[in-house]
Structures are given as C-alpha cells and as structure tokens.
Amino acid sequence: MAGKSSRGRQKIPIKWIEDKAKRSVAFSKRKSGVLKKVSELSTMCGIDMALILFNESGKAFSYGNPTLNVILDRFLGLDPQRVFNSASRKTIEAQKISCIQEMEAKIMNGEAMLKLEEQRAKTLSLEMTNHAIGKWWEQPIKKMTLHQIQKKIASMEKLKMVFEEQKRFKSNWNSLNLLALTSVNQISHK
C-alpha cells in the first residue's frame, strides 16, 4: 500500500492568530459554523436564543430565534407581552402574516380600482368638455385624445363594412340583373 499523500485533517491549536489576513479568513470560515450550530440547537431543543458576533472592523453578525429583537427585549424585560411559548408565537406569526397578505391584496385591489376610476373620470370629463364645444370627431386628429381616435377608427371601420356590404349587394344585384336579362334574351331568341 502506498503511504498517505497528505497529512489529512489536523487539529489546529487554539491561540491568537498574528497575521490579520489569516485571522479574517479564520473568522469568516468559523462564523458560519457557529451560526449553524446555534440554529441547530435552537431547532432541536425548541428554545429561544440569540447570538451576536462582531468582526475586527466592527461589522455585526447575528442570529435570533424567533428574532434578535424579541430575545433582547425579553432579556432586558422591556416588553413582557412578547414572552410566549413557541407554539403560540408561531400561531400569532401565522395570523399576522395572513392579515398582512390580506391587507396588501385589498390595498392593491383598491389602488387598481382607483386608477381605473381616475382614468374613467378624465375620459368622461374630456368627453363632456368636447360635447359642450362641439362635435369632437370633427376636430383635427392632433387635438383628439387616444380614446377619441380609437373611437373614430372603430366608427370608420364600421362605416367601411357597411359600404363593402352595400357594394357586395349591388354587385350581386347587378349579377342577378345581368343573369335575368341574359335568361330573358335567351328565351326570347328561341
């Protein structure tokens, strides 16, 4: 058998790391492990806990279950209303989230309806003004609103269809007249 090519996993002595770059790397690597262990302990035992870490530059890293603020308030005795067991806190959080989602949906629906009503009011106001001034469809297109232009186009398309129908009718009528005349001429020549 061949010997090991590496030394494997070695125990690192726990002592002050002199090199600042190595110290920063060690903090970054070990920070996630510590936060993971705290989260696991909180989940496995169903306990509320908080952890706050500061790196050398003063940046804070924290974990709190349910939240860091709830744990700190409870620790300082600032808000005794927040001291619930895990099950009641989860129920309250679920109800709060449900209410917030319902309120957000109502707000979005109300905003959409308000926007539509505002657009409708503008259109009606403009149409009333144009009606008072005169026949809006006789105005130059540059003075018309988008709604008026769309309305004019739709009316013109309907009118075009009526003319085409009359044209087909006349064409069919002329064909029938021509057919009838031809039939009459053929009968009279016999």
Side-chain angles (χ1 to χ4, degrees), residues 80-182:
Q81 297 288 347
R82 290 188 176 175
V83 182
F84 298 112
N85 66 22
S86 181
S88 34
R89 185 176 43 259
K90 288 178 182 175
T91 303
I92 291 169
E93 281 297 315
Q95 289 173 345
K96 192 183 341 177
I97 289 170
S98 175
C99 288
I100 289 170
Q101 289 173 340
E102 186 178 330
M103 290 159 89
E104 287 175 340
K106 286 180 180 179
I107 289 169
M108 288 173 46
N109 188 28
E111 287 175 344
M113 289 176 61
L114 177 63
K115 197 172 190 178
L116 286 173
E117 287 300 319
E118 286 173 346
Q119 289 174 343
R120 189 170 160 234
K122 284 180 185 177
T123 303
L124 287 173
S125 175
L126 187 60
E127 285 180 2
M128 287 172 39
T129 303
N130 287 336
H131 183 69
I133 294 171
K135 300 175 183 171
W136 61 265
W137 55 88
E138 292 179 354
Q139 295 181 39
I141 289 194
K142 289 182 180 179
K143 291 187 178 182
M144 290 184 187
T145 65
L146 177 62
H147 178 69
Q148 290 172 334
I149 292 170
Q150 289 171 338
K151 207 170 173 182
K152 187 171 185 171
I153 289 171
S155 297
M156 292 175 85
E157 286 175 355
K158 284 180 187 176
L159 186 61
K160 181 181 174 186
M161 287 173 33
V162 168
F163 283 137
E164 287 175 351
E165 187 64 35
Q166 286 181 351
K167 183 179 174 183
R168 277 194 299 272
F169 179 76
K170 284 184 179 179
S171 176
N172 290 342
W173 182 255
N174 288 339
S175 297
L176 285 174
N177 280 340
L178 185 61
L179 183 63
L181 287 174
T182 308

